[in-house]
Every structure is written in C-alpha cells, then in structure tokens.
Amino acid sequence: MKKALRGLMTGLLGVSMLFGALGSVSAAPAAKDIQGHWAQNQLQDWLNKGYLQGYADGTVKPNKPITRGEYVALVNRLFGFTETASIAFKDLKSSNWAYSEVAKAVKAGYIGGYENNTFRSSSPLTRQEAAVITAKLLSLNTSNTSLTFKDSAQIASWAKGAVAAAAAKNIINGYPDGTFGPKRPLTRAEAVGIIGNSAANKPSGSGNPATPTPTPSATATPTPTPTPTSTTGGGSGGGGGGGSTTAPSVSNVTYGHVGSVTADVYLTPSVTGAVYYVVAPYTSTAAVPSTLQITKGLTSTGTAGVNYGKVAATGNTTVAFSVYGLQANTEYTAYIALSDSVGSWSAVSTLRLTTASGGATAITELSPGSMGTVTADVYVTYGQAGGASAPVRYVVLPANAADPSAAQVAAGQNSNGVLLSAPWTGTISPAPAPGVRQTLTLSGLTAHTDYKVYVITGSGSSWSPVEILRIHTK
C-alpha cells in the first residue's frame, strides 16, 4: 500500500510541476533554463498564466520528453475537457494519477490505446502521435498524405495524413534540416507550442474555454489561449521565435570501416555539443529509442545495447567514433543523437551495418582499457580457446590518418606504405594463446590526443579483417 501511495504521489508531483495550478495568473519569475531557448517567450507566457509550473530548483526542463499521460492532461486543461469515459486499459489502474485524464481524453475522442489494450501513460509521446492527436482535436482533413520532409518515409502510414494536415496549418512543423523526426520523443517545450497552436485553432464547440481567464485590461482582453508565433528552431510547430538559433541535427552518418568486431562511424553535427550513441543487433520491428534511452545506453525496450558512448562534437566538423563488442557476420543498428550546450536534442539518426565474417584465428575482442597521458592499454582477444595460434600485429596512427590495408598493417606500414617503427607498430609478445584476453600497452603517445589502433591476426598472405579502435589519451 505504501509503495502504491508513493507511486501515486510521485506521478501527481510530476504533473503538478508540468501543468501548475490554473488558479495563478500573476507574472512568474523567469525560469533558469529557458533563457535563449527557442520557446522562451511562450514558456514564460504559460508560466505567467499558470498553465505551466517549474520545478523546485527554478527550472522548467524544456527539453525533457513529455509522457502520453502528461500530454493528454495538458490538452484536457487547455481545451476544457471534463467528461469521462469508461476505460479498462490493462496497464492503467484507477489508482494511477493519469487514469481520469486518460478517461477524459478517450471521451473527447482524440486518443485511444494500443492494439494490445494498453495505453502506456508513462511512455514518451512521439511527434507523429502528437500530430494525430492534433488532427483529431481540430477535425483536420487527413486525406492528403503528400509530404516533403526528408524523412517522410519514416512517418508511419497511420500518421502521414495527420502530419501533412498539422504541418499545413503550421501547428507542428519540421526542423531546419528539412526533417520531421516522427519517432522522436516530444519535449515539454514542443508540447507547449503544439497545444498552444491547437488551442488557437480550436473549432467552435470543441470543449470549454480553459480557466482561468486573466483579468481584462483597459485596452485589451487577454485570453487564456496563447497566440502562436512562427519558429525557425526546435521543430516545435510554434510557440516562440527561434531567431538565428541552429537546431541540433546530424548529417553524413556513415561508416568508414567495418571489421568482424569493430566499426568506424562518421557524422557531421550542426552545432557544438556531444554526440551520444547506442548500438544493438538489427531487427525489423525495433523502435527507435528516445534520446534519454540513448544517453543511458538503452534500446527502445529498455535493454542495454552491445555498445554505447559519448563523444564531444564541434559544429560542422566531422566526428568519428569506434563501435566495439560486436559479433562477426551480424547486422547492427547504431542510434545516434546530438545534444547542444543548452540541452536541445537532434532527431535520432540510425545507421545499419553488417560486420565482416570472422575465422578460426580472427580477432574476437578489441576494446579500450586504462588511458593515461602518454600510455594506453588496449584489450585484445583472438580465436577460440584450444584453437590454432597466430601472431597478433598492430599499427598506431593519428586519428585523422587514412586506414592501411591488412597487408600494410602486417608489414608495419601506414596507408602510404611508409614503414613505421616501435612503438607505432609491433606484435604482441610473447605470442598470446587463442581465446585468452591480452593487454597491449602502448607508450610514447602524446597527451590529450586521438589515435587509431589497427589490429590483425594471420600469417603469410592470409590475414583477418582489420579491426580499428579509436582511443583518446588524457
């Protein structure tokens, strides 16, 4: 009972911080984390009118994903929906804070559950789901499914008409890079913009006016519905001028080399910030994880990816990172997202790749160990325990160098055929036993510098696929 009560109170607290008490109409203090945000004006307007309330630490967390339950609760408030329907979703108990809000939303007819009779009130709402809600709220004509977004193919068939209709009315727009980001979780700021624009376009007879109505002034009669404004940033579909702010996005996502257990990935960020990624085996039914899940190294199902990480990014400069921990001859998907310095996120990009076939003596592990200022440890395993033995050879090059071939690595050369000397090339000595992890300790490096380590096994003219690992000294 105590556990259930704690869960109920936690949910109610989260909602109260998002929506606030609609009885307050006085000007609110400026939130700490919305200064310079593309939605600053509308967020502050909603704070002033009591539609939105910040957190105890003075923040609003505008880039935090909004859940399905939170979104319908805010729609109900702004549209004045109060009547409830009888609902029986398997995952929504009557003790859940969202139960009554979902019952109102179902009664109003703008949202339903999933095919397995679940509602998923605590799951993030996606942008294409928000478009469908908008179309139903405003009774938009969704017969036109023609879309011009670069990622239109990623928009679900059930959402294409709604996205087209909502975009046509500038209620929900795309991003500056021409994408829509249909599966991207909607943020709190985007929700404010979309719901505000929806309320401004509300047809007559759709719900009751939201309360409270601010006190009229001598020259104007304010209404509780925010006036939508155009935006050039954030993909919100309205709610505040983006100015010249560049919304985070990534382009040129590709791989430069794929071995049996590693892959070299490249991309170009639009802004300076950090690139987060998570890698998982490819399945045709896998949903794209949220940015929050990616930062935690999780897939959309909440399970850990085989590899994940974070790398600093400079706007319009190529960023590269190594993926390791893969299996030979296997297809994977890398999910990649960019966060800027104020916490705004790009849409999630996906990259599919298939690893090379292995072999009896192929490298089975190449991963980073302890990093120093002039030294670095790299873990290497090859073959299977009890199998055939083979020499392990390596080459170390600056991170921006071209990749040498397996024959060049075997000869201790760079991609130009120039012969290198220790410590930039060598073999693991004594010869390691197959199936046993070895530690390759590199020395003579430069502090705070990126390198690529190339490792192969084999002999004569028969070599394993080249495995590449990027490292960065302290």
Side-chain angles (χ1 to χ4, degrees):
M1 179 62 183
K2 291 182 178 179
K3 183 177 181 181
L5 181 59
R6 284 198 301 272
L8 175 62
M9 292 306 295
T10 300
L12 289 173
L13 179 60
V15 173
S16 68
M17 288 184 171
L18 176 63
F19 307 135
L22 288 181
S24 173
V25 295
S26 58
K32 294 179 180 179
D33 57 347
I34 66 172
Q35 302 303 310
H37 194 279
W38 58 266
Q40 177 181 345
N41 292 340
Q42 190 166 22
L43 287 168
Q44 188 61 53
D45 182 49
W46 279 39
L47 287 168
N48 294 343
K49 292 177 177 177
Y51 304 158
L52 191 68
Q53 184 174 336
Y55 289 81
D57 62 358
T59 63
V60 169
K61 304 188 190 316
N63 301 311
K64 180 181 178 180
I66 191 169
T67 68
R68 286 166 54 84
E70 291 169 341
Y71 193 82
V72 300
L74 189 51
V75 168
N76 292 340
R77 294 287 184 89
L78 265 292
F79 276 70
F81 296 129
T82 57
E83 295 184 20
T84 60
S86 176
I87 58 174
F89 295 113
K90 293 190 298 186
D91 61 342
L92 190 61
K93 296 181 179 180
S94 58
S95 58
N96 189 305
W97 69 264
Y99 184 88
S100 63
E101 297 297 339
V102 173
K104 295 174 189 176
V106 172
K107 178 66 175 179
Y110 65 83
I111 197 170
Y114 291 88
E115 61 278 357
N116 62 350
N117 195 35
T118 60
F119 187 83
R120 307 175 196 175
S121 62
S122 60
S123 295
L125 184 80
T126 65
R127 286 170 52 81
Q128 64 183 359
E129 288 176 331
V132 172
I133 289 175
T134 299
K136 290 183 177 180
L137 275 172
L138 305 180
S139 300
L140 301 180
N141 184 343
T142 59
S143 60
N144 177 21
T145 59
S146 177
L147 294 163
T148 59
F149 298 110
K150 292 181 180 178
D151 56 351
S152 294
Q154 298 178 23
I155 300 174
S157 57
W158 49 262
K160 287 184 181 291
V163 171
K169 287 185 171 291
N170 291 320
I171 294 172
I172 177 169
N173 298 318
Y175 292 89
D177 65 353
T179 63
F180 181 80
K183 298 178 182 178
R184 177 179 175 177
L186 196 71
T187 67
R188 287 159 57 89
E190 289 175 332
V192 166
I194 293 168
I195 296 173
N197 282 358
S198 297
N201 285 273
K202 182 175 64 175
S204 58
S206 175
N208 300 314
T211 57
T213 301
T215 303
S217 66
T219 58
T221 304
T223 69
T225 302
T227 301
T229 56
S230 61
T231 178
T232 59
S236 73
S244 59
T245 302
T246 300
S249 63
V250 296
S251 58
N252 305 320
V253 181
T254 187
Y255 51 82
H257 175 86
V258 180
S260 296
V261 294
T262 62
D264 214 24
V265 177
Y266 295 84
L267 58 95
T268 304
S270 64
V271 297
T272 297
V275 170
Y276 293 81
Y277 60 90
V278 64
V279 181
Y282 167 77
T283 60
S284 60
T285 58
V288 175
S290 68
T291 52
L292 180 60
Q293 287 173 317
I294 292 174
T295 62
K296 294 182 177 181
L298 302 176
T299 65
S300 61
T301 61
T303 58
V306 297
N307 185 247
Y308 67 94
K310 169 187 175 183
V311 60
T314 301
N316 300 312
T317 301
T318 300
V319 172
F321 58 87
S322 286
V323 175
Y324 53 91
L326 308 179
Q327 298 291 323
N329 199 29
T330 304
E331 189 169 13
Y332 290 90
T333 304
Y335 301 100
I336 301 165
L338 168 68
S339 175
D340 65 15
S341 59
V342 297
S344 295
W345 284 93
S346 70
V348 177
S349 297
T350 60
L351 175 68
R352 284 171 57 183
L353 54 89
T354 301
T355 51
S357 299
T361 60
I363 301 293
T364 57
E365 176 195 12
L366 182 62
S367 58
S370 176
M371 293 292 127
T373 54
V374 295
T375 61
D377 286 344
V378 174
Y379 300 130
V380 182
T381 307
Y382 79 96
Q384 301 296 324
S389 60
V392 178
R393 305 175 185 271
Y394 68 90
V395 162
V396 182
L397 296 173
N400 59 357
D403 297 336
S405 65
Q408 288 173 321
V409 174
Q413 301 172 342
N414 64 17
S415 63
N416 294 321
V418 176
L419 185 64
L420 306 173
S421 59
W424 307 112
T425 186
T427 60
I428 294 181
S429 182
V436 178
R437 173 189 275 190
Q438 301 291 322
T439 300
L440 169 60
T441 299
L442 305 173
S443 59
L445 308 179
T446 301
H448 200 61
T449 302
D450 289 313
Y451 294 94
K452 285 191 289 188
V453 183
Y454 302 84
V455 182
I456 61 169
T457 60
S459 60
S461 60
S462 178
W463 303 103
S464 69
V466 179
E467 306 297 339
I468 302 177
L469 181 69
R470 291 174 179 267
I471 61 174
H472 185 84
T473 54
K474 294 183 178 178

